[in-house]
């Protein structure tokens, strides 16, 4: 039997995140968008509230929340400020591989400190020539004695310039292609780990995005996640877990856009009456509301499947892809309802529109999500 009622604990988590977004994030969103500064004070408050470490098991000091709980949090935080959300949940993206594949010693060594003080983490997969094609990673890790020596470069890394911990994907067997990739835990301060350019982005400007270089970066062999040549599996299984939260963030952005549009349409008068009374405006608002609800149900279903330990690759791809497209449409329509005012930075919807675009790109473009879905639906095909 399907039951969509949230438990008392889930309602409390949802309301806590909503209140945090309303009080701490939304009032400061425009400021950090314009200044492109990193919101350290708000990150500290997010850590104190438990949002950064909510997915980490309780035995290591985290909140022990499941994917469904994290999706509830993600929707609310992204509605407050998508950029700040990206930095907060970027920590969860980086810790998920350790939670899934780390040894007990690795979990104690690397997860517990993240829960003791505000610390950011980064997931380092993307490269200039390996975006959607993650298997084409060129960063290499050569084992020398009891160490791996990393050489290569990563780009578009969330929290890259501010993180204290990096989960890095590199080829230990380049001749094996995607099957030759491995994953490593690399602390900040490791010689040879160099932070490069901080990206000047269209949206999510409160989030730090950087290039990361590895120049003869020596990593202890004990920092290898799982075993050699398991990196591609680790990366994909991580995305299966985290894409429901990305979809939830898209729902949050769309929800915020709808709320702004409704409020504005009730007060903006043209031809002698509020534009909310015109059927064209009502049609836009109705479509936005329907799509947001549909996206939320896809997200909840994917998160629930993951929490049940059931296969969810297709469903998480559907949730992320559909919700991100909904966010883009909703922010575009919201801006249209605002008219010329919506195009001005005095109003929040132009920022939401810029922010929404990234949801169609990161953690796998929506084109890649459609390939994942199609391969699952079509199944094997003889050439």
């Amino acid at each position: 039997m399907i039951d969509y009622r949230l438990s008392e604990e889930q309602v409390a988590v949802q309301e806590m995140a909503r209140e945090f977004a309303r009080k701490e994030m939304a009032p400061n969103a425009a400021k950090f968008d314009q200044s492109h500064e990193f919101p350290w004070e708000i990150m500290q408050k997010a850590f104190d509230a438990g949002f950064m470490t909510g997915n980490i098991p309780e035995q290591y000091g985290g909140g022990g929340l499941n994917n469904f709980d994290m999706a509830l949090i993600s929707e609310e935080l992204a509605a407050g400020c998508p950029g700040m959300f990206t930095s907060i949940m970027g920590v969860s993206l980086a810790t998920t591989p350790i939670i899934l594949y780390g040894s007990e010693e690795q979990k104690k060594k690397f997860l517990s400190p993240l829960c003791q003080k505000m610390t950011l983490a980064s997931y380092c997969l993307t490269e200039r020539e390996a975006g959607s094609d993650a298997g084409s990673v060129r960063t290499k890790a050569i084992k020398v004695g009891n160490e791996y020596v990393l050489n290569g470069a990563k780009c578009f890394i969330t929290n890259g310039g501010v993180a204290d911990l990096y989960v890095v994907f590199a080829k230990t067997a380049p001749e094996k292609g995607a099957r030759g990739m491995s994953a490593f835990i690399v602390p900040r301060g490791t010689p040879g780990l160099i932070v490069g350019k901080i990206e000047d982005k269209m949206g999510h400007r409160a989030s730090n995005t950087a290039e990361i270089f590895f120049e003869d970066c020596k990593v202890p062999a004990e920092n290898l996640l799982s075993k050699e040549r398991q990196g591609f599996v680790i990366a994909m299984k991580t995305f299966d877990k985290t894409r429901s939260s990305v979809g939830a963030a898209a729902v949050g952005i769309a929800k915020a856009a709808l709320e702004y549009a409704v409020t504005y349409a009730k007060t903006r008068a043209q031809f002698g009456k509020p534009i909310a009374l015109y059927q064209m405006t009502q049609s836009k608002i109705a479509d936005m509301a329907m799509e947001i609800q549909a996206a939320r149900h896809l997200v909840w279903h994917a998160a629930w499947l993951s929490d049940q330990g059931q296969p969810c690759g297709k469903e998480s791809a559907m949730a992320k892809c559909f919700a991100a497209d909904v966010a883009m449409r909703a922010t575009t329509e919201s801006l249209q309802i605002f008219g010329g005012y919506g195009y001005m930075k005095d109003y929040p919807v132009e920022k939401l529109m810029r922010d929404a675009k990234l949801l169609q790109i990161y953690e796998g473009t929506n084109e890649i999500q459609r390939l994942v879905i199609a391969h699952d639906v079509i199944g094997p095909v003889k050439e």
Side-chain angles (χ1 to χ4, degrees), residues 20 24 31-32 38-46 48 118:
F20 184 87
E24 303 293 345
K31 168 188 171 183
F32 287 103
F38 191 73
W40 286 106
E41 184 177 347
I42 295 174
M43 292 299 108
Q44 180 64 56
K45 292 179 179 180
D48 293 340
M118 199 284 286

Side-chain angles (χ1 to χ4, degrees), residues 287-309:
D287 285 344
M288 291 163 67
M290 285 190 293
E291 290 193 343
I292 290 168
Q293 190 70 350
R296 182 179 290 115
H297 283 303
L298 275 175
V299 167
W300 285 12
H301 180 57
W304 178 84
L305 284 174
S306 177
D307 290 337
Q308 300 304 308

Side-chain angles (χ1 to χ4, degrees), residues 9 44 59 67 94 106 108 118 123 187 202 248 278 339 378:
E9 292 79 7
Q44 180 64 56
Q59 61 262 42
N67 271 21
Q106 288 172 334
K108 290 178 180 177
M118 199 284 286
Y123 183 89
M202 171 182 172
Y278 290 101
I378 295 170

Side-chain angles (χ1 to χ4, degrees), residues 271-283:
F271 303 103
K273 61 182 180 180
I275 63 173
L277 296 177
Y278 290 101
Q279 289 183 344
M280 185 64 74
T281 303
Q282 293 173 356
S283 178

Side-chain angles (χ1 to χ4, degrees), residues 14-29:
Q14 185 183 53
E15 290 180 349
M16 180 182 178
R18 184 177 298 151
E19 187 70 2
F20 184 87
R22 186 183 69 82
K23 285 187 174 181
E24 303 293 345
M25 299 172 77
N28 294 295

